[in-house]
Amino acid sequence: MAQHVRDIMTGGPVTVEPQTSLTAVARLMRDENIGAVLVADHDELRGLVSDRDLVVRALAEGWDPERTTVAGACSDDLVTVTPDDDLDRAVGLMREHAVRRLPVVEGGHPVGMVALADLAMERDPESALGDISVARPNP
């Protein structure tokens, strides 16, 4: 069983600059088959935007996705972990802050992401969430 975040995190996170349009971010999520993108300014983590953020914060409010930048839709009050953090700390932070994803940072620079699905696969691969996490999406 993995003991540290680095053992299960997804490295090489997808990042965008704060001035990236919501449309460009949505297309990137589609093309990369991901549900969240990190927002970084000169390799310094500034926020996280999820597919839910795009819908609830932007589209539901009538924002123009071509003209609105990701800076307005991203969560900027982030909870992060480092690659050397214990997995139990990551689980505790996810519970405490009710988040499904944690950016992984080293020296303020994004190096990965750990998601609830990663933890499910590590801790209980036979669970429903574990099964769903490994399933390939329908085109």
Side-chain angles (χ1 to χ4, degrees), residues 14-135:
V14 176
T15 62
V16 296
E17 295 179 346
Q19 65 271 20
T20 306
S21 75
L22 297 182
T23 300
V25 170
R27 287 182 181 136
L28 184 60
M29 287 179 177
R30 176 199 63 201
D31 295 346
E32 297 290 328
N33 192 31
I34 55 176
V37 173
L38 297 178
V39 180
D41 191 9
H42 297 97
D43 201 34
E44 290 290 322
L45 184 62
R46 299 288 184 230
L48 179 146
V49 65
S50 70
D51 45 8
R52 187 174 194 283
D53 292 331
L54 294 178
V55 172
V56 173
R57 289 189 181 159
L59 296 178
E61 294 298 323
W63 298 355
D64 181 345
E66 287 290 336
R67 296 180 189 263
T68 305
T69 65
V70 73
C74 73
S75 301
D76 55 8
D77 185 22
L78 295 180
V79 179
T80 64
V81 291
T82 70
D84 294 323
D85 279 334
D86 189 76
L87 281 184
D88 289 335
R89 179 171 189 275
V91 170
L93 287 170
M94 289 174 134
R95 282 185 179 142
E96 179 182 343
H97 297 278
V99 295
R100 297 175 184 203
R101 300 170 182 94
L102 293 172
V104 182
V105 298
E106 276 187 309
H109 306 292
V111 296
M113 184 93 73
V114 64
L116 183 60
D118 300 323
L119 291 166
M121 287 304 304
E122 175 60 28
R123 299 278 171 104
D124 192 4
E126 301 302 317
S127 69
L129 183 55
D131 287 344
I132 292 166
S133 298
V134 297

